[in-house]
Amino acid sequence: MVLVSERLAAAVVGAAPGFMPERASSVAAGVDRVFAFIFWLSAFFLALIVVLTVVFVVRYRKRASRLEPEPSPSHDMRLELLWSGIPLALVFVIFGVSTKTYSRMTKLDPGAAPLRIQVTARKWSWWFDHPGGKGAGELHLVASRPTELVMASADVIHSLYVPDFRLKQDVVPGRFTRMTFTPVLPGTFPIVCAEFCGTDHSRMSATATVHPDQASFDAWAREGVAPAASLVELGKQVFLAKGCVGCHSPDGSPRVGPTFKNLWGKSETFADGTQARVDESYVRESILRPAARITAGFANVMPPVPLDEREIQGLCAYLQALKDAP
Ligand code: CUA
Protein backbone atom coordinates (compact mmCIF):
# COMPACT_ATOMS: atom_id res chain seq x y z
CA MET A 1 0.00 0.00 0.00
CA VAL A 2 2.83 2.37 0.95
CA LEU A 3 4.68 1.50 -2.23
CA VAL A 4 1.58 1.95 -4.37
CA SER A 5 0.82 5.36 -2.93
CA GLU A 6 4.45 6.44 -3.33
CA ARG A 7 4.40 5.37 -6.97
CA LEU A 8 1.12 7.17 -7.45
CA ALA A 9 2.47 10.36 -5.88
CA ALA A 10 5.66 10.11 -7.95
CA ALA A 11 3.61 9.71 -11.10
CA VAL A 12 1.55 12.76 -10.19
CA VAL A 13 4.40 14.99 -9.03
CA GLY A 14 7.06 14.00 -11.59
CA ALA A 15 10.06 16.31 -11.64
CA ALA A 16 10.51 19.11 -9.08
CA PRO A 17 7.69 21.55 -9.79
CA GLY A 18 8.68 25.05 -10.89
CA PHE A 19 7.89 26.73 -7.57
CA MET A 20 10.20 24.44 -5.60
CA PRO A 21 14.02 24.70 -5.50
CA GLU A 22 16.13 21.96 -7.09
CA ARG A 23 16.36 18.60 -5.37
CA ALA A 24 19.96 18.74 -4.22
CA SER A 25 20.08 15.89 -1.69
CA SER A 26 19.37 12.18 -1.51
CA VAL A 27 16.26 12.72 0.61
CA ALA A 28 14.70 15.56 -1.43
CA ALA A 29 12.68 13.34 -3.79
CA GLY A 30 11.16 11.43 -0.85
CA VAL A 31 10.14 14.66 0.90
CA ASP A 32 8.56 15.94 -2.33
CA ARG A 33 6.65 12.67 -2.74
CA VAL A 34 5.20 12.86 0.77
CA PHE A 35 4.33 16.52 0.21
CA ALA A 36 2.67 15.82 -3.14
CA PHE A 37 0.78 12.83 -1.75
CA ILE A 38 -0.66 14.81 1.17
CA PHE A 39 -1.32 17.82 -1.06
CA TRP A 40 -3.29 15.93 -3.73
CA LEU A 41 -5.12 13.87 -1.13
CA SER A 42 -6.22 17.07 0.61
CA ALA A 43 -7.10 18.70 -2.71
CA PHE A 44 -9.27 15.70 -3.65
CA PHE A 45 -11.22 15.79 -0.38
CA LEU A 46 -11.54 19.59 -0.50
CA ALA A 47 -13.09 19.32 -3.97
CA LEU A 48 -15.32 16.40 -2.96
CA ILE A 49 -16.65 18.18 0.14
CA VAL A 50 -17.24 21.50 -1.64
CA VAL A 51 -19.08 19.80 -4.53
CA LEU A 52 -21.25 17.68 -2.20
CA THR A 53 -22.04 20.74 -0.07
CA VAL A 54 -23.22 22.68 -3.11
CA VAL A 55 -25.22 19.73 -4.46
CA PHE A 56 -26.97 19.13 -1.13
CA VAL A 57 -27.69 22.83 -0.60
CA VAL A 58 -29.39 23.03 -3.98
CA ARG A 59 -31.13 19.67 -3.82
CA TYR A 60 -32.54 19.95 -0.29
CA ARG A 61 -33.31 23.67 -0.27
CA LYS A 62 -36.56 24.86 1.29
CA ARG A 63 -39.52 24.38 -1.04
CA ALA A 64 -43.26 24.93 -0.60
CA SER A 65 -43.96 21.24 -1.24
CA ARG A 66 -41.56 20.15 1.51
CA LEU A 67 -42.41 21.99 4.68
CA GLU A 68 -42.87 18.84 6.78
CA PRO A 69 -39.81 16.79 7.84
CA GLU A 70 -39.47 13.60 5.79
CA PRO A 71 -38.79 10.27 7.48
CA SER A 72 -35.08 9.36 7.36
CA PRO A 73 -33.00 6.47 8.69
CA SER A 74 -31.24 7.37 11.93
CA HIS A 75 -28.31 5.01 11.56
CA ASP A 76 -26.46 3.05 8.87
CA MET A 77 -23.67 0.82 10.14
CA ARG A 78 -22.12 0.26 6.71
CA LEU A 79 -21.89 3.99 6.09
CA GLU A 80 -20.35 4.56 9.55
CA LEU A 81 -17.71 1.91 8.90
CA LEU A 82 -16.97 3.30 5.45
CA TRP A 83 -16.38 6.90 6.51
CA SER A 84 -14.36 5.85 9.53
CA GLY A 85 -12.37 3.15 7.76
CA ILE A 86 -11.27 5.13 4.69
CA PRO A 87 -9.78 8.08 6.62
CA LEU A 88 -8.14 5.65 9.06
CA ALA A 89 -6.49 3.78 6.19
CA LEU A 90 -5.36 7.04 4.58
CA VAL A 91 -3.84 8.29 7.83
CA PHE A 92 -1.90 5.03 8.11
CA VAL A 93 -0.61 5.45 4.56
CA ILE A 94 0.53 9.02 5.39
CA PHE A 95 2.23 7.65 8.51
CA GLY A 96 3.93 4.96 6.44
CA VAL A 97 5.33 7.16 3.66
CA SER A 98 6.41 9.88 6.15
CA THR A 99 8.17 7.45 8.46
CA LYS A 100 9.96 5.79 5.57
CA THR A 101 11.27 9.16 4.36
CA TYR A 102 12.12 10.38 7.86
CA SER A 103 14.12 7.24 8.61
CA ARG A 104 16.33 8.05 5.60
CA MET A 105 17.16 11.41 7.23
CA THR A 106 18.46 9.70 10.37
CA LYS A 107 20.53 6.95 8.71
CA LEU A 108 23.74 7.47 6.76
CA ASP A 109 23.65 6.30 3.16
CA PRO A 110 26.08 3.46 2.56
CA GLY A 111 29.07 4.31 0.41
CA ALA A 112 32.12 6.48 0.96
CA ALA A 113 33.28 7.26 4.50
CA PRO A 114 30.91 9.91 5.85
CA LEU A 115 31.91 13.55 6.04
CA ARG A 116 31.29 14.65 9.63
CA ILE A 117 30.87 18.34 10.28
CA GLN A 118 30.32 20.10 13.61
CA VAL A 119 27.79 22.91 13.40
CA THR A 120 27.55 25.67 15.99
CA ALA A 121 24.60 28.03 15.98
CA ARG A 122 24.56 31.25 17.94
CA LYS A 123 22.66 34.50 17.83
CA TRP A 124 22.90 35.21 14.88
CA SER A 125 25.35 33.23 12.84
CA TRP A 126 26.38 29.72 11.81
CA TRP A 127 29.80 28.16 12.27
CA PHE A 128 30.92 24.97 10.54
CA ASP A 129 33.99 23.01 11.68
CA HIS A 130 35.03 20.75 8.82
CA PRO A 131 37.33 17.74 9.14
CA GLY A 132 41.00 18.69 9.16
CA GLY A 133 40.40 21.73 11.33
CA LYS A 134 38.98 24.12 8.78
CA GLY A 135 36.29 26.27 10.34
CA ALA A 136 34.14 28.60 8.28
CA GLY A 137 30.96 30.61 8.25
CA GLU A 138 29.85 28.53 5.27
CA LEU A 139 29.20 24.84 4.95
CA HIS A 140 31.30 22.88 2.44
CA LEU A 141 30.32 19.40 1.27
CA VAL A 142 31.25 16.86 -1.39
CA ALA A 143 28.74 15.66 -3.99
CA SER A 144 27.72 12.01 -3.56
CA ARG A 145 29.55 11.73 -0.22
CA PRO A 146 27.30 10.81 2.74
CA THR A 147 27.30 13.62 5.26
CA GLU A 148 26.50 13.92 8.93
CA LEU A 149 26.00 17.28 10.62
CA VAL A 150 26.39 17.27 14.40
CA MET A 151 24.77 20.44 15.63
CA ALA A 152 24.94 22.44 18.86
CA SER A 153 23.65 25.82 19.93
CA ALA A 154 25.55 28.34 22.05
CA ASP A 155 22.41 30.08 23.24
CA VAL A 156 18.80 29.55 22.14
CA ILE A 157 16.95 27.17 19.81
CA HIS A 158 17.85 27.66 16.14
CA SER A 159 16.93 25.51 13.16
CA LEU A 160 19.18 24.67 10.23
CA TYR A 161 17.15 24.71 7.03
CA VAL A 162 18.44 24.04 3.51
CA PRO A 163 15.45 24.30 1.16
CA ASP A 164 17.30 22.69 -1.79
CA PHE A 165 18.13 19.68 0.39
CA ARG A 166 14.54 19.57 1.79
CA LEU A 167 16.12 19.29 5.23
CA LYS A 168 15.38 21.14 8.43
CA GLN A 169 16.52 20.27 11.94
CA ASP A 170 16.30 22.16 15.21
CA VAL A 171 19.57 23.07 16.93
CA VAL A 172 18.91 22.98 20.66
CA PRO A 173 21.11 24.28 23.51
CA GLY A 174 22.36 21.63 25.92
CA ARG A 175 22.26 18.72 23.47
CA PHE A 176 23.46 17.65 20.03
CA THR A 177 21.09 17.14 17.14
CA ARG A 178 22.01 15.41 13.91
CA MET A 179 21.17 15.51 10.25
CA THR A 180 22.31 12.87 7.75
CA PHE A 181 22.00 13.04 3.98
CA THR A 182 24.00 12.87 0.77
CA PRO A 183 24.27 15.99 -1.38
CA VAL A 184 23.75 15.06 -5.02
CA LEU A 185 24.12 18.32 -6.98
CA PRO A 186 27.29 20.44 -7.02
CA GLY A 187 26.56 24.10 -6.46
CA THR A 188 25.90 26.68 -3.79
CA PHE A 189 22.66 26.62 -1.86
CA PRO A 190 21.22 28.98 0.77
CA ILE A 191 21.02 28.00 4.44
CA VAL A 192 18.58 29.82 6.68
CA CYS A 193 17.52 29.68 10.31
CA ALA A 194 13.96 28.39 10.55
CA GLU A 195 13.33 28.96 14.27
CA PHE A 196 12.56 32.47 15.47
CA CYS A 197 15.60 33.18 17.66
CA GLY A 198 15.49 36.92 18.28
CA THR A 199 16.20 40.28 16.69
CA ASP A 200 18.38 39.21 13.77
CA HIS A 201 16.80 35.82 13.11
CA SER A 202 16.06 36.88 9.54
CA ARG A 203 19.74 37.67 8.90
CA MET A 204 20.94 34.33 10.25
CA SER A 205 21.85 32.83 6.92
CA ALA A 206 24.81 31.06 5.32
CA THR A 207 25.53 28.98 2.24
CA ALA A 208 26.19 25.31 1.57
CA THR A 209 28.74 24.76 -1.18
CA VAL A 210 28.72 21.27 -2.65
CA HIS A 211 32.07 20.53 -4.32
CA PRO A 212 31.92 18.32 -7.41
CA ASP A 213 34.63 16.02 -6.06
CA GLN A 214 36.81 15.30 -3.04
CA ALA A 215 39.88 16.98 -4.58
CA SER A 216 38.07 20.28 -4.90
CA PHE A 217 36.88 20.03 -1.29
CA ASP A 218 40.40 19.15 -0.08
CA ALA A 219 41.85 22.13 -1.91
CA TRP A 220 39.36 24.38 -0.15
CA ALA A 221 39.89 22.73 3.25
CA ARG A 222 43.68 23.11 2.98
CA GLU A 223 43.61 26.75 2.10
CA GLY A 224 43.78 28.40 5.49
CA VAL A 225 44.29 32.05 6.13
CA ALA A 226 47.45 32.58 4.08
CA PRO A 227 50.30 33.81 6.32
CA ALA A 228 51.11 36.44 3.71
CA ALA A 229 47.62 37.89 3.82
CA SER A 230 47.51 41.42 5.13
CA LEU A 231 46.08 42.04 8.58
CA VAL A 232 43.24 44.03 7.04
CA GLU A 233 42.32 41.04 4.85
CA LEU A 234 42.55 38.75 7.87
CA GLY A 235 40.40 41.12 9.89
CA LYS A 236 37.81 41.27 7.13
CA GLN A 237 37.75 37.47 6.92
CA VAL A 238 37.30 37.25 10.70
CA PHE A 239 34.56 39.91 10.51
CA LEU A 240 32.64 37.91 7.90
CA ALA A 241 33.42 34.37 9.01
CA LYS A 242 33.07 34.67 12.80
CA GLY A 243 29.66 36.23 12.54
CA CYS A 244 30.52 39.82 13.60
CA VAL A 245 28.71 40.99 10.48
CA GLY A 246 25.43 39.57 11.85
CA CYS A 247 25.23 42.36 14.45
CA HIS A 248 27.76 45.02 13.36
CA SER A 249 27.35 46.63 9.95
CA PRO A 250 30.45 47.79 8.06
CA ASP A 251 28.62 50.70 6.41
CA GLY A 252 26.87 52.62 9.19
CA SER A 253 23.46 50.93 8.83
CA PRO A 254 21.78 50.12 12.16
CA ARG A 255 21.94 46.55 13.49
CA VAL A 256 21.86 44.95 16.94
CA GLY A 257 25.34 46.23 17.84
CA PRO A 258 27.23 49.46 17.05
CA THR A 259 28.28 49.80 13.41
CA PHE A 260 31.98 49.32 12.67
CA LYS A 261 32.08 52.30 10.31
CA ASN A 262 34.01 55.18 11.87
CA LEU A 263 34.13 53.28 15.17
CA TRP A 264 37.91 53.18 15.38
CA GLY A 265 39.37 56.02 17.44
CA LYS A 266 35.92 57.28 18.44
CA SER A 267 35.16 58.24 22.04
CA GLU A 268 32.49 55.76 23.05
CA THR A 269 30.03 56.39 25.89
CA PHE A 270 28.94 53.41 28.00
CA ALA A 271 25.75 52.52 29.82
CA ASP A 272 27.29 53.55 33.17
CA GLY A 273 28.18 57.00 31.81
CA THR A 274 31.94 56.42 31.50
CA GLN A 275 33.77 56.99 28.25
CA ALA A 276 36.73 55.42 26.45
CA ARG A 277 38.49 55.68 23.14
CA VAL A 278 38.05 52.73 20.78
CA ASP A 279 41.58 51.31 20.52
CA GLU A 280 43.28 47.91 20.50
CA SER A 281 42.75 47.16 24.19
CA TYR A 282 39.10 48.23 24.08
CA VAL A 283 38.48 46.07 20.99
CA ARG A 284 40.22 43.15 22.65
CA GLU A 285 38.09 43.48 25.79
CA SER A 286 34.92 43.82 23.72
CA ILE A 287 35.63 40.57 21.87
CA LEU A 288 36.72 38.41 24.80
CA ARG A 289 34.59 39.96 27.59
CA PRO A 290 31.80 41.80 25.79
CA ALA A 291 29.75 42.31 28.97
CA ALA A 292 32.52 44.32 30.69
CA ARG A 293 31.44 47.63 29.13
CA ILE A 294 28.18 48.06 27.27
CA THR A 295 27.88 50.89 24.76
CA ALA A 296 25.06 53.26 25.75
CA GLY A 297 21.89 52.56 23.80
CA PHE A 298 22.68 48.89 23.09
CA ALA A 299 21.68 45.69 24.89
CA ASN A 300 24.09 43.28 26.57
CA VAL A 301 23.56 40.40 24.12
CA MET A 302 26.98 39.65 22.62
CA PRO A 303 28.55 36.30 23.51
CA PRO A 304 32.35 36.22 24.06
CA VAL A 305 34.11 35.34 20.79
CA PRO A 306 37.28 33.29 21.35
CA LEU A 307 39.60 34.91 18.77
CA ASP A 308 43.34 34.49 18.89
CA GLU A 309 45.64 37.49 19.18
CA ARG A 310 46.39 37.70 15.48
CA GLU A 311 42.70 37.65 14.62
CA ILE A 312 42.11 40.47 17.14
CA GLN A 313 44.94 42.43 15.55
CA GLY A 314 43.37 41.78 12.17
CA LEU A 315 39.99 43.09 13.35
CA CYS A 316 41.68 46.25 14.68
CA ALA A 317 43.37 46.75 11.30
CA TYR A 318 40.04 46.22 9.55
CA LEU A 319 38.34 48.78 11.84
CA GLN A 320 41.05 51.28 10.99
CA ALA A 321 40.62 50.57 7.29
CA LEU A 322 36.85 51.14 7.59
CA LYS A 323 37.54 54.55 9.14
CA ASP A 324 40.06 55.54 6.48
CA ALA A 325 37.78 54.38 3.65
CA PRO A 326 36.03 57.21 1.80
CU1 CUA B 1 18.66 31.38 14.61
CU2 CUA B 1 16.49 32.03 13.89
Side-chain angles (χ1 to χ4, degrees):
M1 185 108 181
V2 169
L3 196 71
V4 170
S5 61
E6 267 201 7
R7 292 250 165 90
L8 198 73
V12 173
V13 72
F19 56 88
M20 300 274 259
E22 283 192 286
R23 293 181 186 140
S25 87
S26 55
V27 296
V31 174
D32 281 0
R33 270 200 296 272
V34 174
F35 175 78
F37 177 64
I38 296 174
F39 176 84
W40 289 112
L41 191 68
S42 308
F44 170 75
F45 279 102
L46 178 71
L48 182 71
I49 290 165
V50 168
V51 167
L52 285 180
T53 306
V54 171
V55 167
F56 289 160
V57 161
V58 172
R59 180 155 179 195
Y60 299 110
R61 70 187 184 276
K62 188 174 170 184
R63 285 184 221 170
S65 59
R66 261 207 219 133
L67 289 179
E68 295 303 315
E70 295 170 18
S72 74
S74 65
H75 190 78
D76 186 327
M77 183 55 100
R78 284 166 312 165
L79 208 53
E80 294 272 353
L81 286 176
L82 197 68
W83 68 42
S84 304
I86 291 177
L88 187 69
L90 287 173
V91 166
F92 269 103
V93 174
I94 292 173
F95 173 76
V97 291
S98 309
T99 307
K100 195 171 161 222
T101 305
Y102 177 73
S103 72
R104 289 205 59 197
M105 296 178 191
T106 54
K107 264 201 310 267
L108 276 169
D109 292 332
L115 188 61
R116 244 174 135 252
I117 294 165
Q118 307 277 340
V119 181
T120 310
R122 60 160 32 122
K123 296 191 281 186
W124 287 276
S125 60
W126 297 101
W127 186 251
F128 304 96
D129 286 295
H130 300 77
K134 174 93 172 215
E138 326 103 54
L139 177 61
H140 282 250
L141 306 166
V142 184
S144 303
R145 184 163 174 199
T147 302
E148 180 176 36
L149 304 184
V150 182
M151 309 194 286
S153 168
D155 37 49
V156 299
I157 303 178
H158 302 273
S159 182
L160 187 98
Y161 179 31
V162 190
D164 300 70
F165 292 171
R166 308 288 195 278
L167 282 168
K168 189 195 291 180
Q169 172 65 56
D170 276 9
V171 185
V172 183
R175 57 175 287 194
F176 289 107
T177 52
R178 272 155 223 281
M179 198 148 102
T180 55
F181 60 98
T182 303
V184 293
L185 284 183
T188 299
F189 308 100
I191 295 175
V192 293
C193 179
E195 184 74 52
F196 181 67
C197 53
T199 313
D200 269 359
H201 157 73
S202 63
R203 286 177 184 276
M204 191 171 165
S205 56
T207 55
T209 297
V210 179
H211 291 263
D213 51 44
Q214 187 66 36
S216 158
F217 175 86
D218 289 342
W220 172 81
R222 263 198 307 273
E223 120 205 344
V225 177
S230 73
L231 269 183
V232 176
E233 240 342 276
L234 170 65
K236 189 174 179 185
Q237 284 174 21
V238 169
F239 172 69
L240 295 173
K242 297 276 181 175
C244 315
V245 62
C247 301
H248 302 280
S249 74
D251 58 3
S253 59
R255 286 189 191 163
V256 174
T259 179
F260 279 3
K261 184 176 171 63
N262 293 332
L263 181 63
W264 188 259
K266 180 183 168 195
S267 177
E268 196 77 289
T269 306
F270 304 104
D272 60 5
T274 58
Q275 289 193 325
R277 209 171 74 86
V278 175
D279 58 10
E280 283 86 355
S281 49
Y282 170 71
V283 169
R284 189 172 192 292
E285 182 200 63
S286 296
I287 293 167
L288 302 178
R289 293 188 297 121
R293 285 185 281 184
I294 303 301
T295 305
F298 293 90
N300 178 12
V301 293
M302 176 170 160
V305 183
L307 298 187
D308 66 34
E309 289 300 324
R310 192 177 150 75
E311 289 171 325
I312 294 172
Q313 290 164 2
L315 261 186
C316 291
Y318 179 58
L319 282 171
Q320 289 178 43
L322 280 180
K323 182 171 172 56
D324 298 337

